[in-house]
Amino acid sequence: MNAPVLAGRSVRGATALRGGRPWRPTPYQVFGLLCWLVVSLAYWRVPLCCDAGLDAAVVERLAADLLHPRHPVAALPGAGSPYYSPYAVAQGVLARWTGLGGWEVVRLAGPVNLLVLLIGVGRFVRMLTPRPWAPVLALAALTLLWGTGPVPGGPSLALLPLTGGLQDPSVSTLGLTLWAWGLTGVRARDAGRVRFVGPSGLPGPLGYAALGVPYGLVGLIDPVVGVGAGVGALTLIGCGRPRAVPRWGWAAVTATAVIWSWPYYDAFTAGFDHAIGDRSLMSAPAGSLIGACWLALLVGLPMLVVRAGCGSWRDPLVLMAVPGLAVVGYALLDGRPVDGGLLDLALVPPQCAVAVELAVPRPWSVWRRALGVVAVGGMCAGLLMAQGGAVLPGAFDQNRSSRSPYGVSYAWAAQHVGPGDVVLAVGRDTVHGLAGFGVDVVAPAVADPALDEAARDDRLADVRTYLSPGATPAERAAVVRRHRVRWVLLTRWHTVPEGAVVVAWSERTGEVLARVG
């Protein structure tokens, strides 16, 4: 065979490799990576605060005993504690595998949670529209288009609380919820584009059953957000093919089985009741809702009305907005607080409606140009007046209330406390800050089904008795013996008891660690 013949023959495999279309990142991949880098760096420069100590304490207990962890903050059994969710167990496994401490694992969870959130936003918006810039605009709207006042209620999709509480499990649950919504919307709208297709052309039972897993995980990690996720899923199912509705029962069965089979606690009773009580401490007061989200409602609600009037009543964003906005409206009228996670889910439809409309290719009509100006102006106003503390230098952030909260580390005290020693301390942040290093305290700062509430009240009463200026040495000695107290952490307003030996103190807070017993 001569050379020309060899040169003219083409090899299919090599041609396929050379002739394929070159890969190019989508706009959302570029801006999503940029957002991940900026927010992660901003999060990394802020000390962990608030309930991060409790999360670290849970990791410490799971690292010590993965199957039978103790109470998160006290020297008590931990059976039935809803803090041992699948999210926490995964962190405990990582801590056991790597040897990292609770604080280190919680710190590393922040960028991972942000990645889950970004994936969820992209999946949800791609379900709504194939326009490539829609996810980018949705990410900007979800983080900036809120209001000109601070967003209360703990970690949120808003930029400032998101940066300050990126390590919180609720960030991951919001991302997982959006991701599950995206898959649910695609499956309900077009069964032919998903796997596990049955003989009838619709997804088989396996496909529906698998989709119930993320909803079950969300319900275990955060039952309150799990309820909102389930309601959103029902609205998306209502937008799909009516004859496929009965098959969604497989997803409901799987989600229920995931929640029911969790061995650490009963999510249907103790888990949900605890979530309601604990999240009520971080709920947004009704009076602050208007200032926190009025821009999102002002710009987003007209877009929902337009979508409802120009399109079908089964538009996903329109149907999803009804239950969420009903909850917000009821809270405003009745003066009741709103859970921060539910507020996030309630504002997703109007915020994403703005992004979808602005992603329409040009030329734009006059009203769409006006919408773009108003939306960009609202995002800039929210960034400068409410969310700027997350990423802007202090010189450009005129609103001091928008600065991220800074936590106080109790490493200076924990380094003196030996394994198994009990510390008498008071204050939510103090108790959780110590427990994050694996230290046991006398009285938990928040309720936990693993400890009877009456017993916790008795322990809190003993702490108050010991710290009371009028307590006698005999009363203090009884408290020390009853709870085997070895250390006492005193604030600057407390007097060192007789017989206590000061070991260390904090220059920043004025707190004192003293040895007793």
Side-chain angles (χ1 to χ4, degrees):
M1 187 175 293
N2 54 23
V5 175
L6 289 174
R9 179 177 298 177
S10 61
V11 182
R12 294 180 180 272
T15 304
L17 291 175
R18 292 195 306 268
R21 188 175 182 179
W23 175 83
R24 293 182 179 178
T26 64
Y28 185 68
Q29 290 173 340
V30 174
F31 284 92
L33 176 61
L34 180 62
C35 175
W36 185 84
L37 291 174
V38 172
V39 175
S40 296
L41 291 175
Y43 156 78
W44 210 264
R45 70 179 177 86
V46 179
L48 294 176
C49 69
C50 307
D51 283 339
L54 181 58
D55 298 332
V58 171
V59 175
E60 289 284 347
R61 300 315 193 260
L62 287 168
D65 191 339
L66 189 62
L67 299 180
H68 304 285
R70 295 181 296 126
H71 189 279
V73 299
L76 297 168
S81 176
Y83 289 111
Y84 298 119
S85 65
Y87 180 92
V89 171
Q91 289 183 316
V93 172
L94 177 63
R96 290 175 63 93
W97 180 53
T98 60
L100 295 174
W103 285 104
E104 287 79 10
V105 172
V106 171
R107 171 65 80 178
L108 293 174
V112 178
N113 291 342
L114 180 58
L115 180 62
V116 174
L117 179 62
L118 292 173
I119 293 175
V121 171
R123 175 71 270 181
F124 177 70
V125 179
R126 286 197 302 272
M127 179 270 296
L128 299 173
T129 176
R131 299 164 188 165
W133 285 94
V136 178
L137 297 173
L139 180 61
L142 289 171
T143 54
L144 298 177
L145 190 59
W146 281 75
T148 53
V151 179
S156 170
L157 291 177
L159 185 60
L160 178 64
L162 177 65
T163 305
L166 200 58
Q167 82 290 337
D168 195 275
S170 62
V171 177
S172 183
T173 57
L174 290 172
L176 190 58
T177 297
L178 293 173
W179 181 74
W181 280 354
L183 294 181
T184 302
V186 170
R187 190 177 295 271
R189 180 190 61 202
D190 187 3
R193 294 175 58 186
V194 296
R195 297 180 179 180
F196 307 116
V197 178
S200 63
L202 292 176
L206 182 59
Y208 288 100
L211 196 53
V213 175
Y215 289 103
L217 293 177
V218 172
L220 285 171
I221 300 172
D222 193 331
V224 177
V225 175
V227 172
V231 173
L234 291 177
T235 59
L236 289 171
I237 293 171
C239 300
R241 303 170 66 176
R243 66 191 184 99
V245 170
R247 299 195 176 188
W248 287 99
W250 289 100
V253 170
T254 303
T256 304
V258 169
I259 297 175
W260 179 79
S261 62
W262 188 244
Y264 288 89
Y265 60 89
D266 184 359
F268 290 106
T269 54
F272 191 79
D273 293 342
H274 171 75
I276 292 294
D278 187 49
R279 293 295 286 273
S280 65
L281 299 175
M282 300 186 298
S283 297
S288 63
L289 286 179
I290 298 179
C293 61
W294 69 274
L295 286 173
L297 299 178
L298 177 66
V299 183
L301 288 181
M303 291 302 98
L304 293 174
V305 174
V306 170
R307 293 178 67 89
C310 299
S312 171
W313 65 271
R314 293 167 65 183
D315 182 90
L317 291 178
V318 174
L319 288 184
M320 294 182 71
V322 173
L325 295 179
V327 172
V328 176
Y330 174 74
L332 290 174
L333 294 176
D334 197 54
R336 295 180 180 271
V338 177
D339 177 79
L342 292 182
L343 180 62
D344 287 322
L345 297 182
L347 294 181
V348 165
Q351 291 168 331
C352 287
V354 174
V356 171
E357 294 301 325
L358 292 181
V360 174
R362 296 183 179 182
W364 285 359
S365 60
V366 176
W367 74 267
R368 199 178 299 276
R369 294 175 185 171
L371 170 65
V373 172
V374 174
V376 172
M379 294 179 192
C380 293
L383 176 63
L384 295 177
M385 301 183 66
Q387 313 300 331
V391 294
L392 295 180
F396 296 94
D397 181 26
Q398 302 301 323
N399 183 12
R400 291 183 177 269
S401 64
S402 70
R403 304 304 296 175
S404 298
Y406 285 83
V408 177
S409 175
Y410 286 90
W412 62 271
Q415 64 181 344
H416 298 282
V417 180
D421 291 353
V422 178
V423 180
L424 188 146
V426 65
R428 179 169 177 154
D429 292 343
T430 303
V431 168
H432 292 168
L434 285 171
F437 293 96
V439 175
D440 294 324
V441 298
V442 174
V446 296
D448 190 330
L451 176 63
D452 184 72
E453 190 63 15
R456 190 175 79 93
D457 291 338
D458 292 339
R459 287 172 170 261
L460 290 173
D462 287 343
V463 172
R464 290 191 295 268
T465 298
Y466 186 93
L467 298 177
S468 174
T472 64
E475 291 174 333
R476 290 195 174 106
V479 173
V480 170
R481 289 193 303 269
R482 186 179 303 116
H483 302 289
R484 294 179 295 178
V485 178
R486 181 63 176 167
W487 303 88
V488 176
L489 189 68
L490 305 169
T491 67
R492 65 179 69 181
W493 297 282
H494 293 129
T495 304
V496 178
E498 181 181 353
V501 179
V502 175
V503 176
W505 70 289
S506 171
E507 296 182 0
R508 179 178 179 183
T509 64
E511 293 172 303
V512 171
L513 179 68
R515 184 173 61 247
V516 298

